[in-house]
Amino acid sequence: MRRRDLLGPWGEALACEYLRGRGCRIVACNYRSRFGEIDVIAEDRKFLIFAEVKLRKSAEYGAAREFVDARQQERLRQTALLWLEGHETRLQPRFDVIEIYAPDGMATKQPVIRQLEDAF
């Protein structure tokens, strides 16, 4: 497997670790449907969080969240609806974007992680 192919799973693992540190329970990772994929599904006391993880070396060409365009947002919504059809919950669904900035890729000692709650 190429090093580049490992970056996505590495970023998603960092996001899961970050969410756990904030008191969330990870429900699913890489949930796929015919519409697309949700990187992380987590829950806390109030929310069922559908999180899109965006890993970048820097914000030089724009913030990571800017790369979640309207088309991708719609695919995420459709995928979340399918997930909700098969998983009953009393929690309020929420869509977050988790930005990870790692200038040295997987060699970055302290990546910067930002969670944008209710991003769309």
Side-chain angles (χ1 to χ4, degrees), residues 107-119:
T108 303
K109 295 208 185 296
Q110 293 187 335
V112 175
I113 302 174
R114 293 187 192 123
Q115 180 180 9
L116 294 118
E117 297 178 357
D118 204 15

Side-chain angles (χ1 to χ4, degrees), residues 19-120:
L19 288 168
R20 281 188 199 99
R22 298 194 63 176
C24 293
R25 183 177 77 84
I26 304 304
V27 177
C29 293
N30 301 92
Y31 173 77
R32 294 175 192 265
S33 79
R34 65 181 181 266
F35 297 109
E37 177 184 347
I38 297 174
D39 293 329
V40 179
I41 302 173
E43 62 183 24
D44 63 15
R45 291 180 174 196
K46 292 183 181 180
F47 297 99
L48 179 66
I49 302 161
F50 296 100
E52 176 66 13
V53 179
K54 288 296 181 187
L55 174 66
R56 296 284 181 267
K57 285 190 173 191
S58 73
E60 183 177 345
Y61 297 105
R65 68 182 163 271
E66 294 175 27
F67 291 89
V68 184
D69 62 18
R71 196 172 116 220
Q72 185 175 15
Q73 290 174 18
E74 185 56 30
R75 287 195 313 260
L76 290 167
R77 284 186 191 99
Q78 292 298 320
T79 302
L81 282 172
L82 284 177
W83 191 88
L84 287 166
E85 285 177 5
H87 302 84
E88 210 172 298
T89 184
R90 293 183 203 173
L91 299 174
Q92 173 67 42
R94 185 178 81 196
F95 291 92
D96 292 2
V97 173
I98 298 177
E99 299 179 319
I100 301 174
Y101 294 99
D104 299 318
M106 294 188 321
T108 303
K109 295 208 185 296
Q110 293 187 335
V112 175
I113 302 174
R114 293 187 192 123
Q115 180 180 9
L116 294 118
E117 297 178 357
D118 204 15
F120 57 92

